[in-house]
């Protein structure tokens, strides 16, 4: 039994060190359990935020207009105070103000350099038509969000009208 006596003597001589090591092991184990629980909560929060982002994205999805005429300004978000130009350069659309709560925006349309409609109010889903030398530009306000308006412009060529 000399080994048992030696071991007991080692424990008696180093009791404070052994207690410290045991406590350190307990604190380490508790920390690992705590981090595992916290990580699980974080994963749940990330998943909840992903679902919410998906819902918001679906809500913000803009219905695409069904123009039979060629689209010269594809669907895009234009901020209040900003402008967009059609691909043919004949129409400049300026968004004066956006009223998201009322679902409408005030726009100015310049065709061939001339202001055809100034500060004109248009609601979501409505269309405006304005004639120019290339034909009739058809503007549709698809959606509003905060200080942005989603617009699309199509061009009906003159030869189709006559």
């Amino acid at each position: 039994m000399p080994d048992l006596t030696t071991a007991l003597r080692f424990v008696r001589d180093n009791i404070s060190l052994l207690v410290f090591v045991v406590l350190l092991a307990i604190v380490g184990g508790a920390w690992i359990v705590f981090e595992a629980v916290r990580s699980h909560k974080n994963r749940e929060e990330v998943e909840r935020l992903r679902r919410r982002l998906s819902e918001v994205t679906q809500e913000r999805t803009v219905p695409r207009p069904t123009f039979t005429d060629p689209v010269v300004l594809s669907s895009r978000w234009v901020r209040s105070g900003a402008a967009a130009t059609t691909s043919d350069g004949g129409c400049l659309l300026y968004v004066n103000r956006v009223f998201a709560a009322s679902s409408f925006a005030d726009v100015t349309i310049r065709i061939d350099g001339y202001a055809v409609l100034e500060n004109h109010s248009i609601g979501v889903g409505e269309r405006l038509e304005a004639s120019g030398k290339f034909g009739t530009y058809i503007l549709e306000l698809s959606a509003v969000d905060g200080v942005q308006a989603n617009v699309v412009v199509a061009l009906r060529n003159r030869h189709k009208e006559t």
Side-chain angles (χ1 to χ4, degrees):
M1 293 259 206
D3 289 336
L4 182 61
T5 322
T6 308
L8 290 174
R9 187 177 306 140
F10 176 79
V11 169
R12 187 188 65 206
D13 293 343
N14 298 305
I15 190 73
S16 60
L17 177 65
L18 293 174
V19 168
F20 177 74
V21 169
V22 169
L23 287 176
L24 191 63
I26 291 172
V27 168
W31 180 75
I32 290 172
V33 170
F34 173 74
E35 285 297 319
V37 169
R38 192 175 69 126
S39 174
H40 182 69
K41 287 181 182 177
N42 285 346
R43 276 185 261 140
E44 288 176 351
E45 180 71 9
V46 167
E47 188 59 35
R48 186 185 66 75
L49 289 172
R50 282 186 181 149
R51 282 193 305 272
R52 179 68 183 130
L53 179 62
S54 174
E55 290 170 7
V56 168
T57 303
Q58 289 174 354
E59 290 171 3
R60 195 161 188 241
T61 301
V62 178
R64 299 289 175 230
T66 54
F67 286 117
T68 55
D69 301 303
V71 174
V72 289
L73 180 66
S74 59
S75 176
R76 72 185 60 212
W77 290 95
V78 181
R79 293 183 61 84
S80 180
T85 305
T86 57
S87 59
D88 66 349
C91 179
L92 172 78
L93 168 70
Y94 180 77
V95 177
N96 298 318
R97 291 177 59 189
V98 175
F99 302 94
S102 304
S103 296
F104 75 94
D106 289 342
V107 297
T108 296
I109 299 177
R110 298 182 69 86
I111 297 181
D112 304 326
Y114 300 104
V116 177
L117 297 169
E118 282 192 72
N119 219 16
H120 187 84
S121 291
I122 179 173
V124 171
E126 293 180 14
R127 290 185 178 185
L128 288 178
E129 293 189 12
S131 295
K133 67 181 177 184
F134 294 125
T136 302
Y137 291 94
I138 306 162
L139 163 89
E140 181 173 318
L141 180 65
S142 302
V144 292
D145 183 29
V147 294
Q148 302 180 101
N150 186 275
V151 294
V152 180
V153 179
L155 175 62
R156 183 180 307 128
N157 292 325
R158 285 211 180 272
H159 68 275
K160 285 187 176 180
E161 291 178 357
T162 57

